[in-house]
Amino acid sequence: MNNLGANIRARRHELGITQEQLSNNTGLSINYISRLEVGTANNVSAKTLLKIAEVLKTSMDSLVNGSTDEAEMGYYQKKLWQALNDMDKEQAEQVSKNVLGLINLNKE
C-alpha cells in the first residue's frame, strides 16, 4: 500500500466511512477506491484527489503526504476539529465563522 492509499484508508476509517459511501459521495467506483487504497491505481488526477479530500474533510496535501496536524493538537483543539467534522458543510462553516469572530473580538 502506498502512502496515498494508506492515508485515504486511514482517514476513511477515522470518519467511519465505508468504501461504498466514499464511492457514492465522490462518483468514483468502489473498485477504483479499493485500487487507490492498495496502491494499484496509478496517475490519480488532482480533480479526483480533490473529490476524495472534500468527502473525507481533509486536504489533498494530507492525503498525499500524511498529516501530523491532529497528533499535534491540544485536547480542546481536537474536540473542536472533531465537532466540525461531524457537522454538515454549511453548519461547520457558520460555526467556524462565529469562532473566528470571537477570536477577532478578543484582539480588539
Side-chain angles (χ1 to χ4, degrees):
M1 189 178 321
N2 64 10
N3 286 343
L4 174 62
N7 295 336
I8 291 171
R9 174 177 236 131
R11 182 65 181 154
R12 186 172 59 73
H13 286 182
E14 284 175 17
L15 298 176
I17 295 174
T18 65
Q19 285 184 343
E20 182 177 10
Q21 290 168 319
L22 183 57
S23 169
N24 290 339
N25 290 321
T26 59
L28 303 169
S29 72
I30 295 173
N31 184 320
Y32 185 70
I33 300 289
S34 178
R35 288 188 3 240
L36 277 173
E37 289 187 359
V38 297
T40 59
N42 298 318
N43 302 323
V44 180
S45 73
K47 184 177 178 180
T48 296
L49 191 57
L50 180 60
K51 285 181 190 179
I52 294 169
E54 287 175 345
V55 172
L56 296 179
K57 300 177 184 177
T58 192
S59 67
M60 292 178 9
D61 182 57
S62 291
L63 292 179
V64 173
N65 298 312
S67 175
T68 58
D69 293 345
E70 231 178 307
E72 295 174 6
M73 287 183 189
Y75 175 79
Y76 290 106
Q77 288 174 308
K78 283 183 187 176
K79 287 291 191 188
L80 179 58
W81 178 254
Q82 290 166 350
L84 288 170
N85 281 332
D86 289 341
M87 297 175 189
D88 65 52
K89 187 175 181 177
E90 290 175 15
Q91 186 181 19
E93 188 68 14
Q94 186 61 48
V95 169
S96 297
K97 180 181 175 184
N98 292 341
V99 169
L100 290 172
L102 289 171
I103 292 168
N104 288 331
L105 282 176
N106 289 330
K107 289 183 177 179
E108 295 176 355

